[in-house]
Amino acid sequence: LALLGPAPGAPCCPHGPALLFVKTSQGKEEGRRFYACSACRDRKDCNFFQWEDEKVSETRLAAREEYNRNHQPSFTHRQNVDRYKNFVLLPSSKRRFCQECQQLLLPAEWGKHSDHQFLCDITTAQLKSPSQLLYPLENKKTNAQYLFADRSCQFLLNLLVDLGFRRVLSVGTPRLHEMIQSKASQEEEFSVRSLLLDIDFRYSQFYTEDEFCHYNMFNHHFFGGEAARETCRKFLCEENGERVIMITDPPFGGLVEALASSFKKLMAMWRETEKEGLDNREMPTFWIFPYFFESRILDFFPSFSMMDYQVDYDNHALYKHGKTGRRQSPVRIFTNLTPSMIVLPEEEGYRFCTVCQRYVSSGNQHCEICNSCTSKDGRQWKHCVLCKKCVKPSWFHCNNCNCCALQKHSCEKTDVGCFVCGKAGHKRSACPSLSHA
């Protein structure tokens, strides 16, 4: 499949406008183009499908609109804000949270949920940490709520403050958002503000319309319409020298090109707000994603570079810091800020390479031949004279394939080129012709 992107007048599913796709074979487009859900790659999660050239009857259109309406949350954001105000006024003994419906309950609603599991005596501290109260959604391609561990969250926040940013557009980073909110309410001198954009509407129970927008980062859709878009636009206005940075932590199974398209639109929104005109400047950004997507991200944002800092997560079995070998977290920060400005913690083994002018991990040794710190995964890589580049320590040069690979690889597989364009040297997911589409 190749993504052709958002199309004007695209039909909608409960997740907003659908994206246009086409089936490809060896680089040639073939078959009909079709629309599918932007957020869910799995038909079990959202089965929306429509051929691009299909004539949809009035009856079916009406049924679809009805379906989309029925699949919206039972309360509006405004109603949730009002409910929260009432909830906070209740004594601790009357504060309940339904675990099955993932909803704060007012006493009048207890009857409806009487046969559900619920938590009682919800504290103010719990209300200030909704990411720990809510059950994480772990669909890898749509929500994938793997939440930053405290170490990573604290590091990111300290870094932002040190870099002089006072506004954070938190796109799919609820834990960082709540850490900023919590610090702002406790410390008078703390002046950082955050706006959370997230597809998880459950957060509307805890944040006002100025603190949270229901947003789909795969199609740049604000569910709250023009009012929510305006909230975001206002937040991006840099008044009194309050610099803005976007931090985003998308689901790793999501389409890079769809994400890049949305991030470019958010950057364009930021440029529009500037009175002096920012021309082609990019909004400062941290895109948090696994290192093996580096070439794909750089296709869309050539100004980005990858930092060595390992981001780790609380509720992910593999993405934990401090492991060694291949079990280290593969998640990195991609940024358009000058790499030398990103100071990484020396107590965790990061050091400054004066040649590369950036902080690198302890295992990332500078290669004199490549004239660069070449390791991507935290281990020390080795230089292959025949490949003219550094490779993973477990790889060896194969004369049949004329490149480095694992010792136990099967040589015949290397003759098969990319499924999309037929050329060797890359997989389908990293095909340059996909990014042009």
Side-chain angles (χ1 to χ4, degrees):
L1 287 187
L3 169 69
L4 298 172
C12 289
C13 70
H15 304 95
L19 294 177
L20 188 58
F21 294 86
V22 65
K23 272 194 163 42
T24 57
S25 172
Q26 294 291 348
K28 294 183 282 289
E29 282 191 16
E30 62 170 45
R32 286 157 78 185
R33 299 172 176 216
F34 62 89
Y35 290 105
C37 175
S38 60
C40 308
R41 297 269 62 79
D42 194 329
R43 297 289 291 279
K44 288 200 290 285
D45 298 317
C46 178
N47 63 4
F48 183 86
F49 180 93
Q50 183 188 313
W51 296 112
E52 185 193 25
D53 54 8
E54 188 180 346
K55 291 275 180 281
V56 183
S57 70
E58 291 295 321
T59 316
R60 207 168 126 215
L61 276 178
R64 181 184 293 165
E65 276 178 34
E66 178 71 10
Y67 177 85
N68 290 351
R69 254 198 313 278
N70 292 339
H71 282 74
Q72 291 315 310
S74 47
F75 294 107
T76 65
H77 194 165
R78 176 61 52 82
Q79 287 170 325
N80 272 339
V81 171
D82 290 339
R83 287 164 55 77
Y84 183 80
K85 284 177 188 162
N86 293 329
F87 190 88
V88 174
L89 296 173
L90 295 170
S92 170
S93 60
K94 298 227 164 143
R95 291 181 181 178
R96 290 189 181 180
F97 176 76
C98 177
Q99 287 180 293
E100 284 180 48
C101 304
Q102 294 286 286
Q103 193 180 309
L104 296 173
L105 298 182
L106 297 171
E109 298 158 346
W110 291 0
K112 270 194 235 163
H113 300 258
S114 56
D115 54 346
H116 293 181
Q117 291 275 316
F118 45 75
L119 296 173
C120 300
D121 302 318
I122 302 296
T123 63
T124 305
Q126 283 175 298
L127 292 174
K128 292 215 180 306
S129 308
S131 71
Q132 290 169 349
L133 187 61
L134 297 168
Y135 182 78
L137 305 169
E138 293 185 353
N139 175 322
K140 289 181 182 58
K141 296 178 179 171
T142 314
N143 323 88
Q145 284 176 336
Y146 297 121
L147 303 161
F148 292 147
D150 252 11
R151 161 195 165 266
S152 290
C153 220
Q154 201 63 64
F155 163 74
L156 284 167
L157 185 49
N158 293 345
L159 180 60
L160 301 179
V161 172
D162 293 346
L163 290 169
F165 291 104
R166 292 295 170 264
R167 297 195 193 186
V168 183
L169 186 66
S170 304
V171 186
T173 57
R175 191 154 277 180
L176 179 67
H177 173 74
E178 73 188 35
M179 187 179 269
I180 293 171
Q181 296 286 100
S182 165
K183 255 181 149 32
S185 67
Q186 287 162 18
E187 302 169 23
E188 264 182 54
E189 68 282 2
F190 186 78
S191 56
V192 180
R193 290 198 296 133
S194 170
L195 172 66
L196 176 63
L197 305 187
D198 204 291
I199 198 165
D200 185 355
F201 190 70
R202 296 177 304 171
Y203 285 106
S204 69
Q205 299 178 84
F206 305 90
Y207 298 124
T208 66
E209 287 139 310
D210 288 336
E211 297 166 334
F212 167 75
C213 292
H214 190 201
Y215 175 77
N216 179 349
M217 67 172 95
F218 291 104
N219 59 2
H220 186 59
H221 178 64
F222 286 89
F223 293 85
E226 205 42 57
R229 188 181 289 273
E230 186 55 25
T231 297
C232 182
R233 206 190 61 76
K234 268 197 193 136
F235 183 83
L236 294 175
C237 281
E238 299 196 354
E239 295 159 337
N240 315 323
E242 290 190 328
R243 295 172 63 215
V244 175
I245 184 166
M246 169 165 69
I247 299 195
T248 181
D249 181 33
F252 302 150
L255 288 166
V256 174
E257 46 268 63
L259 293 166
S261 166
S262 294
F263 300 156
K264 284 182 176 178
K265 284 172 182 164
L266 287 169
M267 285 176 174
M269 197 186 265
W270 168 77
R271 274 198 298 272
E272 283 164 22
T273 65
E274 194 53 36
K275 297 159 192 73
E276 286 90 62
L278 294 161
D279 305 322
N280 292 322
R281 268 180 56 208
E282 286 177 346
M283 169 165 49
T285 299
F286 283 173
W287 178 343
I288 293 161
F289 225 51
Y291 70 79
F292 35 83
F293 283 100
E294 183 181 22
S295 62
R296 300 288 289 126
I297 290 176
L298 299 189
D299 276 347
F300 296 102
F301 293 107
S303 63
F304 280 33
S305 48
M306 185 176 84
M307 301 295 99
D308 271 22
Y309 182 80
Q310 293 186 15
V311 180
D312 58 330
Y313 295 80
D314 259 357
N315 54 330
H316 197 297
L318 298 179
Y319 296 176
K320 289 271 198 294
H321 172 71
K323 295 189 173 185
T324 51
R326 293 199 59 190
R327 284 281 169 246
Q328 299 176 63
S329 169
V331 187
R332 302 288 182 269
I333 299 169
F334 293 87
T335 183
N336 50 9
L337 298 177
T338 311
S340 59
M341 293 163 63
I342 314 293
V343 179
L344 303 186
E346 289 179 12
E347 66 276 12
E348 289 183 17
Y350 297 101
R351 57 185 171 76
F352 191 72
C353 173
T354 48
V355 186
C356 296
Q357 283 291 294
R358 70 181 181 97
Y359 278 81
V360 294
S361 63
S362 52
N364 194 356
Q365 298 300 314
H366 192 87
C367 171
E368 300 297 338
I369 307 165
C370 298
N371 194 26
S372 166
C373 292
T374 50
S375 168
K376 307 286 184 195
D377 62 7
R379 297 178 292 170
Q380 186 174 340
W381 286 21
K382 58 185 184 184
H383 191 85
C384 173
V385 182
L386 298 170
C387 290
K388 297 187 174 138
K389 65 177 184 181
C390 285
V391 296
K392 292 180 179 179
S394 51
W395 287 18
F396 296 89
H397 195 85
C398 170
N399 292 324
N400 291 341
C401 305
N402 197 24
C403 69
C404 283
L406 281 167
Q407 213 161 10
K408 290 184 176 169
H409 74 286
S410 54
C411 295
E412 60 273 15
K413 274 188 187 165
T414 55
D415 298 329
V416 180
C418 163
F419 176 70
V420 177
C421 68
K423 291 179 187 165
H426 62 262
K427 292 184 182 157
R428 179 202 150 294
S429 59
C431 179
S433 59
L434 270 186
S435 59
H436 300 321

